[in-house]
Amino acid sequence: MDRILKEERNYLLNLVKKIKKAGCNVLLIQKSILRDAVNSLSLHFLSKLKIMAIKEVERDEIEFLCKATGCKPIADIDSFTEDKLGYADLVEEAESNGSRIVQISGIKGAGKTASIIMRGANQYVLDEADRSIHDALCVIRCLVKKRALVVGGGAPEIEISQRLSELAKTQAGFQSICFQAFAEAVEVIPTTLAENSGLSPISIVTDLRNRHAKGEKSSGINVRKGTISDMLRENVVQPLLVSTSAIELSTETVRMLLKIDDILASR
């Protein structure tokens, strides 16, 4: 047992010396699934060599930390070299409103990253805030990919539905039925919006159709007032990519389903 413990001690000491030789003084250790990533002896050696160890880093945070600090993930101690290190002026454990966080500041050549600290009364509030921020980031992403906005409130969908209905009248046979079915399917979006707002979907969608038939193309469902309003005046807009992606993906899904000739039941 003494020989085994001595070998373990020498092995850990050599690992820590290689880390120190590379010029590292802050070590970010990914959380291990099977066992503890570090033990008390390795933490002791790291402390002796003035190396700050931050353990239990989540797997999904590794990529973010690499982008933010400029470092590269290292899986093998032999590949632990200086060119894979990131640089920062200060790494400290700070206390904010009773919770402790690790703060990295003064990053050299900082990437285009940012950290948001969220606080809430319970986990449900935090989860809801996380979803809201995710939705906001998705909107920004859509605008970056395609810099165009359209009015919201179901106005684009009603306009598309009416144009398809007009086109269906000029077609013959099953093509006319397909165009009309597509027009009716698009109306699901404003209908669902009216239902989720506690409004009467039949009266609201009918009124919305009449407004667009009169040429009021920017008219949409005003959720706050419970009526039909001009979405441009209400400043209710959405990225164009949201509407185009919904139509493209739904059309591709329908085409894929129509290609299925038969279903074989498997046991």
Side-chain angles (χ1 to χ4, degrees), residues 182 244-260:
F182 204 121
T244 55
S245 297
I247 294 171
E248 289 173 3
L249 293 174
S250 59
T251 307
E252 289 174 5
T253 303
V254 171
R255 290 182 63 185
M256 183 177 64
L257 292 174
L258 290 174
K259 289 179 181 178
I260 300 173

Side-chain angles (χ1 to χ4, degrees), residues 7-224:
E7 285 294 325
E8 181 188 14
R9 183 182 181 89
N10 291 332
Y11 175 73
L12 291 174
L13 186 58
N14 288 330
L15 288 180
V16 175
K17 283 182 177 180
K18 287 182 178 178
I19 294 172
K20 183 66 176 179
K21 186 178 179 181
C24 172
N25 55 7
V26 177
L27 192 63
L28 302 169
I29 306 170
Q30 181 180 319
K31 185 177 182 180
S32 177
I33 301 174
L34 301 177
R35 59 188 181 277
D36 291 337
V38 290
N39 57 18
S40 57
L41 185 59
S42 60
L43 290 174
H44 170 71
F45 286 145
L46 290 170
S47 177
K48 284 289 185 181
L49 293 179
K50 308 286 185 188
I51 299 175
M52 180 181 182
I54 303 171
K55 58 180 183 177
E56 302 294 328
V57 179
E58 294 292 341
R59 185 182 183 89
D60 56 352
E61 294 177 358
I62 295 296
E63 184 180 358
F64 172 78
L65 287 169
C66 290
K67 285 182 179 179
T69 61
C71 63
K72 296 179 181 178
I74 301 171
D76 185 16
I77 190 64
D78 294 329
S79 59
F80 204 112
T81 54
E82 187 177 355
D83 60 312
K84 295 183 178 178
L85 300 180
Y87 297 90
D89 293 338
L90 180 64
V91 179
E92 60 178 344
E93 188 180 30
E95 186 171 352
S96 176
N97 293 337
S99 59
R100 304 187 71 83
I101 58 174
V102 176
Q103 185 174 340
I104 303 175
S105 56
I107 298 173
K108 182 181 179 181
K112 295 180 179 180
T113 57
S115 298
I116 301 174
I117 300 177
M118 294 186 297
R119 295 185 177 87
N122 50 52
Q123 189 62 38
Y124 298 106
V125 176
L126 286 175
D127 291 340
E128 187 62 32
D130 186 22
R131 282 191 291 270
S132 299
I133 292 175
H134 180 267
D135 292 343
L137 291 175
C138 287
V139 172
I140 296 172
R141 172 182 168 273
C142 290
L143 288 174
V144 169
K145 291 186 71 175
K146 196 166 188 176
R147 297 185 179 183
L149 290 169
V150 292
V151 292
E157 289 76 20
I158 286 292
E159 191 66 26
I160 292 170
S161 176
Q162 290 199 343
R163 293 291 175 265
L164 287 173
S165 297
E166 292 174 2
L167 191 58
K169 296 176 183 178
T170 63
Q171 303 296 320
F174 70 92
Q175 289 186 349
S176 175
I177 298 174
C178 291
F179 276 101
Q180 188 59 39
F182 204 121
E184 293 174 0
V186 175
E187 286 189 358
V188 170
I189 295 175
T191 302
T192 306
L193 180 60
E195 288 179 351
N196 293 341
S197 305
L199 306 173
S200 173
I202 297 175
S203 60
I204 287 292
V205 173
T206 302
D207 189 12
L208 194 57
R209 282 200 209 104
N210 294 333
R211 295 286 187 93
H212 279 258
K214 295 176 181 177
E216 300 178 14
K217 296 183 179 181
S218 59
S219 294
I221 302 173
N222 191 325
V223 176
R224 294 178 178 176

